[in-house]
Amino acid sequence: MNDDVRNIVLGVVAAGISAALGWLARTYLWKRRLRRKQAFFGLPENSESLLVVNRDAGSPDLAVHRHDVFALLELAALIKDCGAGAEVVTQDSARQGFGERTEFCVGGPGSNRRMAAHIQAMLPGVRINTDREPGPDRLAFRIGDEHYRMDPGVTEYVLLARLTAGRRQGGRPVFLFCGQRAINNQAATRYLVRNHERLARKHGNGSFVLLLKVVNSQAYGPDVVELVEDVTRSAQAPLPPEPIVTAT
């Protein structure tokens, strides 16, 4: 074998080794990223999760709003990426505890009794006006001392929460997507899918409650979302009493 042939063979071998090392490195990084994603969502390989769907509050039938359907589709794709499965149940048939399976609960307390139960049990600092009568406080949020009113189609709010407090070691989380309108639920799921890595770095695998603002949904749909505040502390603390207004 002359020097030219030997150099060609060595070059091919070196290229093969480099390609193999590159593939191994990419595979390792992909698997590590997947494990972190699975840990954050509580969705190890071949595990099962629960998708709790609400009903359309504006429909006399037991229908699901199309934006809530879109939210469920985005969550289903996320669950599939983790190698897990999902069971879809309606809000009035999800009669079980939490912690056994990761749960994704979609819809406000006025259309989802499961959401109402979660808020009452785990977010004592949150109150949501479910009165259907028209008025400035319709569907308004109260979180601690702060009030957040909705301007339909212009400024709307949604709570995005990951809750694990009070569960046994190794219990699975509950994710809440509680919006003032159905389009806000979809906006929150989209925000979670896009930002889960950043949220995992900031919060780890613990609880958090975020208040998001959906901007101009009548023009931009669920795509323009702003983080208003991390309200974890005030949402999980007892609700302070309303100030008493006396006549003068």
Side-chain angles (χ1 to χ4, degrees):
M1 180 182 295
N2 57 37
D3 291 342
D4 291 338
V5 174
R6 183 169 57 252
N7 290 337
I8 292 173
V9 172
L10 291 175
V12 170
V13 172
I17 293 173
S18 297
L21 291 175
W23 178 82
L24 289 173
R26 287 192 298 271
T27 301
Y28 170 77
L29 292 174
W30 174 80
K31 287 185 176 181
R32 185 175 68 171
R33 186 176 180 183
L34 177 61
R35 286 194 297 269
R36 289 177 176 176
K37 183 176 182 179
Q38 290 171 330
F40 177 75
F41 288 107
L43 294 171
E45 192 81 18
N46 298 319
S47 62
E48 290 296 323
S49 61
L50 198 65
L51 288 170
V52 181
V53 59
N54 65 344
R55 59 177 176 82
D56 187 350
S59 172
D61 302 319
L62 297 178
V64 180
H65 196 284
R66 63 188 183 92
H67 286 295
D68 289 327
V69 174
F70 295 152
L72 294 174
L73 290 174
E74 297 205 29
L75 291 172
L78 183 150
I79 293 167
K80 183 178 179 181
D81 287 343
C82 291
E87 178 187 359
V88 180
V89 298
T90 57
Q91 50 88 27
D92 55 349
S93 63
R95 297 185 180 92
Q96 61 183 63
F98 41 75
E100 295 295 330
R101 293 185 288 177
T102 293
E103 178 180 337
F104 300 91
C105 191
V106 177
S111 61
N112 189 330
R113 66 180 64 177
R114 179 83 170 174
M115 178 69 72
H118 287 326
I119 291 176
Q120 183 179 8
M122 296 183 282
L123 301 178
V126 175
R127 291 291 184 275
I128 299 176
N129 184 357
T130 57
D131 188 354
R132 297 188 180 183
E133 294 299 321
D137 288 325
R138 183 173 180 266
L139 301 177
F141 288 177
R142 182 188 175 194
I143 306 172
D145 290 321
E146 301 295 329
H147 292 76
Y148 302 90
R149 288 176 172 174
M150 172 182 66
D151 185 359
V154 180
T155 301
E156 298 151 348
Y157 296 95
V158 55
L159 285 173
L160 168 62
R162 181 189 194 275
L163 302 176
T164 60
R167 292 179 180 77
R168 70 184 191 284
Q169 186 69 23
R172 304 287 172 78
V174 173
F175 289 87
L176 305 183
F177 307 89
C178 180
Q180 293 174 321
R181 298 175 63 211
I183 195 170
N184 309 146
N185 302 329
Q186 184 188 1
T189 60
R190 187 165 293 182
Y191 182 92
L192 178 66
V193 171
R194 291 176 175 174
N195 296 280
H196 67 86
E197 291 183 346
R198 180 177 60 82
L199 294 173
R201 287 194 297 269
K202 181 175 182 180
H203 302 283
N205 294 331
S207 296
F208 62 80
V209 185
L210 305 180
L211 179 67
L212 307 177
K213 179 169 69 175
V214 183
V215 179
N216 201 0
S217 63
Q218 62 188 353
Y220 303 127
D223 286 332
V224 182
V225 181
E226 298 176 358
L227 174 62
V228 177
E229 190 178 356
D230 182 334
V231 295
T232 307
R233 181 173 296 180
S234 55
Q236 293 185 326
L239 194 69
E242 289 274 16
I244 300 175
V245 179
T246 58
T248 57

